[in-house]
Amino acid sequence: MSSASVASIAVEGGDLSLGEGLLAIIRPALDLMEPGGVIAVLSCSRQTEEDLSTWCRIERHEFLGCEEISEGKFRHLIRRGSLSVPKGERETALNLPLRDGMLTAADVLAAVPMPERADPATGFAPRGARAEPGGPSFPYTLTERDTVAPPQIAELYDQAVGAQWDATRDIAWDKIRPLPAALETALGQMMTFLAENELSALYLPSKFISQIHPAYAEVAMFLATQLADEARHIDVFLKRARVKGGLGISSATSSRSLLSLLVLTDFTEAAFLLSVLGEGTFLDLLKFIERHAPDEPTFDLARRARADETRHVHFGLAHVRHALAHDDSLYSRLESSVRRRAATLHNVGGVPSAIQDALTILAARGSDPPSVRRGHESFRELLHTMHENRVKRLESAGFTREQAETLSRLHTPNFM
Amino acid sequence: MSDDTILVGAVAYDPKVVTIWEGIRAYFQDQGVRMDFALYSNYERQVESLLRGHIDIAWNTPLAHVLVQQRTSNQSLSLGMRDSDQDFRSKILVRRDAGIKSLSDLEGKTLAVGSRDSTQARILPLHFLRQESVDLDKVNLLAFDTDVGKHGDTGTSEIDVLSALHDGRAQAGAVGDLIWVLEQSAGRIDANVIEVLWTTPPFDHCMFDALPSLAAEKAERFKKALFAMDWNDPRHRHILELEGLKQWMPPREEGYETLRDALRQHGAAR
Ligand SMILES: [Fe+2]
Ligand SMILES: [Fe+2]
């Protein structure tokens, strides 16, 4: 047998047999070797030789032999085989920075950057883990960094996790007093509409999570926070309607508009239509409800929901901007997807009437004609503000002023 | 059915055999080789079918392989085997509390053995013990004739031997080294109770057999596709794992010599 100097590491197996855990010492040592590398296993059991040689045969390592190095002490040499060698560099010597004792996802991402492309055969292996070859291919469709993961995704995730709140405890429900009947009905209708739209914002992004390659897990994790946000919004809006009063109607117009969102199959198109256009428009809607809130809890819940929605819009804008920078054909794809959606909604006249009325009465704080005149004025201003801000957002996503104007006018009158 | 389809026989010792052969057939098809399979419930029937020309190739245990060679006066063709079929050994295991220190101590004790048609758990260990001058008439054999006809493929009788050793129904037992090492590495052996007394010389296991009349071109197509299977290719990996190998190997005959001797001297089994 060749001399012991060919072995680059030696492990001490004592008197352990294979059936007593010896492999838990040998396997990690072999894992440190490249194929062809040799380890020495020191053992005081002669018996070990036969079992080790059989085990090597099963695992396709080469058992080079055994020699007695001193009285009752043996050295077994094993050469690592070339099967089942995990791909990639071993992740070691990471030393993540702490900030006031905190460890952020952004710092993890900086230390372990996302690959440009990801291999569907690495399955659920976390980014940085070495994947053994031979695993099955997973049905991911989002396997390219520049179409799925904007650079600021980990910061957005960190912010989202830090900003979670609780619709059960964080709203001063005890401060809600009975409202005049017209106002209570209008508020119930608004909350119904909001919850309905929030439901679509819960369902649509969830379709894409299982398509995202885990190399870009931060995107899936951010979407998980977004889903938790939407769940909380559904919860808080329904509670506000029911704490005193009840729900209003769901219009066929809203349904048609939301179905045309739900059927989207492209992640970037969905981010654009839902987050940039839809949730963007909702920022102005929520601001309107804050301004005209009949009580402090209603103001508070609209403000909290708007803070969450601002993150969703940020993600949508970051996603679309990043994707646009890496794909020249995307502008026209997004434009035609807005046009396609508008075409399916062509006979939808305007804002669903129940919502027009609710917004008007809410802003009027009652139903006496002079107040309603004021309320109606506010509603018309809201539509104008929504359009202006949509144009700004579209411009900031990378569209020209002219394109932005056109797309904003084609946006659904259902707001989302 | 076109003539160029290669028909392979295999024994269905487990439901996974269907998965394995559906997988191999699909793989052969990808390689542009038309292949189909026929499943038998036992090796005796499969050997008869091969000899009568009902199938082109049989995936045979060592016992079936040697029987085919006997029946064809050594004219049959050996096409390939698994890496894991080479250098099998059997283990004579004993309970630590049985006071068995040498092979001759087996006399007067109970030795658990596998099915009468299992090469590794019955035929060869007993043959090697005789060669080592153990008087088997003085050994009390506890035989687990489970799955007779499957030639020990299921491993059931070897697991029976191990549990008889663990619970003290036997003081000694014979199993193949593959089961011995796999059961140890899976943590299913109590090393405080069981130890190895003796290891037999090496022998070889399964083989693809064909009649000498198999068209040379068919044999070549079969071997070419078979040996191209790759452990690191996910499409092949699953089948190889199920079939218990990492690589197909060319055939070799010397590993069956002791089994031929054993059958000549003692017939199929004791
Ligand atoms: Fe929301
Ligand atoms: Fe949202």
Side-chain angles (χ1 to χ4, degrees):
Chain A
M1 183 172 59
S2 49
S3 91
S5 61
V6 299
S8 21
I9 37 176
V11 293
E12 177 56 61
D15 61 352
L16 290 179
S17 71
L18 231 67
E20 291 172 317
L22 180 62
L23 291 175
I25 294 172
I26 294 177
R27 282 187 287 230
L30 277 173
D31 188 44
L32 294 172
M33 296 286 108
E34 294 294 317
V38 177
I39 66 161
V41 180
L42 307 178
S43 165
C44 24
S45 142
R46 173 54 104 169
Q47 179 68 64
T48 301
E49 177 177 358
E50 284 181 349
D51 283 355
L52 268 186
S53 119
T54 303
W55 179 77
C56 285
R57 190 159 59 82
I58 295 170
E59 296 298 325
R60 308 303 296 161
H61 300 306
E62 191 182 348
F63 186 73
L64 298 176
C66 167
E67 61 183 352
E68 189 160 14
I69 45 176
S70 61
E71 182 63 30
K73 189 88 185 172
F74 303 92
R75 176 170 34 221
H76 310 277
L77 293 182
I78 298 176
R79 187 194 300 285
R80 181 172 192 180
S82 57
L83 295 178
S84 300
V85 179
K87 282 186 271 188
E89 291 289 299
R90 175 185 303 275
E91 191 173 274
T92 49
L94 287 183
N95 188 11
L96 295 175
L98 298 186
R99 304 181 193 278
D100 295 333
M102 292 191 299
L103 194 48
T104 66
D107 284 327
V108 175
L109 176 56
V112 189
M114 292 172 177
E116 229 174 281
R117 262 166 238 289
D119 176 2
T122 61
F124 282 127
R127 182 172 73 245
R130 293 170 306 145
E132 212 184 298
S137 191
F138 279 49
Y140 305 127
T141 55
L142 299 166
T143 56
E144 288 178 15
R145 183 188 60 203
D146 295 332
T147 57
V148 60
Q152 57 274 59
I153 186 65
E155 276 106 352
L156 287 169
Y157 169 77
D158 283 327
Q159 286 167 19
V161 170
Q164 297 293 301
W165 50 280
D166 176 348
T168 299
R169 273 181 290 246
D170 293 341
I171 305 297
W173 296 112
D174 55 351
K175 290 192 184 160
I176 291 178
R177 300 282 170 262
L179 295 172
L183 201 49
E184 188 181 277
T185 306
L187 194 64
Q189 179 58 61
M190 258 340 286
M191 294 297 141
T192 305
F193 175 75
L194 288 172
E196 181 170 16
N197 285 275
E198 296 290 357
L199 274 160
S200 79
L202 174 69
Y203 280 40
L204 179 60
S206 73
K207 288 193 349 185
F208 299 104
I209 289 184
S210 61
Q211 298 181 20
I212 298 170
H213 192 288
Y216 315 118
E218 283 86 345
V219 180
M221 288 153 66
F222 175 81
L223 288 178
T225 70
Q226 184 167 338
L227 300 187
D229 291 344
E230 310 301 14
R232 196 172 48 244
H233 299 169
I234 295 161
D235 184 19
V236 81
F237 293 142
L238 293 177
K239 278 174 176 164
R240 178 59 194 94
R242 285 167 167 154
V243 63
K244 289 203 166 34
L247 302 190
I249 63 162
S250 155
S251 77
T253 299
S254 290
S255 260
R256 294 186 55 185
S257 179
L258 296 180
L259 176 60
S260 69
L261 264 188
L262 186 63
V263 295
L264 294 173
T265 54
D266 179 88
F267 185 40
T268 305
E269 276 180 42
F272 181 63
L273 289 173
L274 174 74
S275 297
V276 176
L277 291 174
E279 290 175 313
T281 303
F282 257 56
L283 293 181
D284 293 313
L285 179 63
L286 290 164
K287 182 111 194 166
F288 183 90
I289 293 169
E290 274 170 66
R291 177 157 4 112
H292 302 290
D295 48 42
E296 195 221 305
T298 306
F299 166 82
D300 189 33
L301 62 86
R303 181 187 57 86
R304 286 172 181 270
R306 187 164 58 89
D308 294 337
E309 292 306 333
T310 305
R311 272 197 310 278
H312 306 173
V313 175
H314 272 171
F315 170 69
L317 275 173
H319 176 165
V320 169
R321 210 182 286 131
H322 187 67
L324 279 170
H326 292 88
D327 179 357
D328 293 338
S329 70
L330 187 56
Y331 278 105
S332 56
R333 245 174 58 218
L334 294 180
E335 190 178 327
S336 64
S337 120
V338 174
R339 289 184 185 282
R340 244 193 339 270
R341 187 174 181 218
T344 67
L345 299 174
H346 72 278
N347 53 356
V348 168
V351 179
S353 49
I355 303 313
Q356 290 191 31
D357 301 344
L359 288 167
T360 301
I361 300 297
L362 206 59
R365 291 182 188 251
S367 51
D368 61 288
S371 303
V372 169
R373 182 193 305 280
R374 243 188 13 254
H376 187 66
E377 228 11 75
S378 301
F379 165 70
R380 287 169 39 75
E381 270 167 37
L382 171 64
L383 296 184
H384 183 71
T385 310
M386 284 173 163
H387 171 69
E388 289 287 288
N389 287 337
R390 259 199 313 269
V391 169
K392 279 188 206 147
R393 264 177 235 114
L394 286 165
E395 283 187 299
S396 111
F399 290 90
T400 64
R401 175 90 198 173
E402 203 180 8
Q403 289 171 318
E405 288 277 351
T406 314
L407 292 185
S408 175
R409 284 187 208 292
L410 287 168
H411 184 58
T412 169
N414 185 62
F415 307 148
M416 186 174 281
Chain B
M1 183 81 28
S2 141
D3 264 341
D4 70 349
T5 299
I6 303 169
L7 185 56
V8 182
V11 166
Y13 61 87
D14 186 278
K16 75 176 182 185
V17 172
V18 175
T19 313
I20 291 171
W21 285 97
E22 287 289 354
I24 296 180
R25 185 175 65 160
Y27 161 78
F28 268 69
Q29 236 139 35
D30 283 352
Q31 302 285 306
V33 178
R34 268 214 276 248
M35 184 274 264
D36 207 343
F37 62 89
L39 295 182
Y40 294 88
S41 76
N42 63 81
Y43 281 99
E44 285 65 37
R45 173 98 44 211
Q46 170 162 299
V47 166
E48 283 310 315
S49 283
L50 178 69
L51 293 172
R52 290 173 190 201
H54 297 168
I55 51 177
D56 293 315
I57 295 170
W59 178 224
N60 274 339
T61 55
L63 179 58
H65 172 60
V66 169
L67 292 176
V68 166
Q69 289 184 320
Q70 283 177 356
R71 302 273 301 271
T72 60
S73 311
N74 287 325
Q75 297 303 301
S76 65
L77 306 175
S78 304
L79 300 180
M81 62 204 302
R82 301 172 299 188
D83 52 4
S84 51
D85 286 319
Q86 300 189 342
D87 297 322
F88 247 68
R89 287 174 163 82
S90 294
K91 295 280 180 187
I92 303 298
L93 308 174
V94 293
R95 285 181 63 90
R96 288 180 187 274
D97 63 9
I100 301 172
K101 297 297 163 209
S102 70
L103 290 178
S104 57
D105 292 342
L106 289 171
E107 296 174 12
K109 299 290 198 301
T110 298
L111 172 70
V113 292
S115 293
R116 62 174 173 269
D117 56 10
S118 166
T119 303
Q120 68 270 21
R122 179 88 160 254
I123 302 172
L124 281 182
L126 291 185
H127 174 68
F128 287 124
L129 285 177
R130 282 188 204 99
Q131 286 190 332
E132 295 293 315
S133 306
V134 175
D135 184 352
L136 291 181
D137 289 335
K138 293 183 178 155
V139 177
N140 173 30
L141 285 193
L142 174 59
F144 292 98
D145 277 316
T146 32
D147 297 326
V148 170
K150 306 288 196 289
H151 292 191
D153 273 1
T154 60
T156 314
S157 67
E158 288 167 274
I159 301 295
D160 289 338
V161 168
L162 289 170
S163 67
L165 271 169
H166 272 120
D167 64 23
R169 278 174 291 153
Q171 288 85 51
V175 297
D177 61 350
L178 211 66
I179 286 272
W180 169 239
V181 165
L182 288 174
E183 289 294 294
Q184 282 187 92
S185 57
R188 288 194 287 258
I189 299 292
D190 187 346
N192 296 312
V193 175
I194 301 176
E195 65 180 339
V196 176
L197 175 68
W198 188 63
T199 303
T200 69
F203 54 91
D204 285 354
H205 219 258
C206 300
M207 181 70 83
F208 281 112
D209 287 316
L211 293 188
S213 53
L214 179 69
E217 175 273 333
K218 256 188 181 179
E220 275 320 301
R221 266 191 295 143
F222 178 79
K223 287 196 281 188
K224 190 162 174 243
L226 188 72
F227 295 137
M229 288 183 95
D230 178 4
W231 176 258
N232 286 324
D233 186 326
R235 291 167 303 167
H236 312 166
R237 171 74 163 265
H238 183 57
I239 308 165
L240 294 171
E241 273 179 343
L242 284 174
E243 183 52 33
L245 76 157
K246 294 194 160 114
Q247 205 178 319
W248 293 102
M249 309 288 279
R252 62 176 196 186
E253 291 305 334
E254 61 276 19
Y256 302 92
E257 212 46 69
T258 49
L259 182 57
R260 287 183 201 108
D261 287 348
L263 295 178
R264 251 193 313 273
Q265 291 169 28
H266 308 288
R270 172 185 151 164

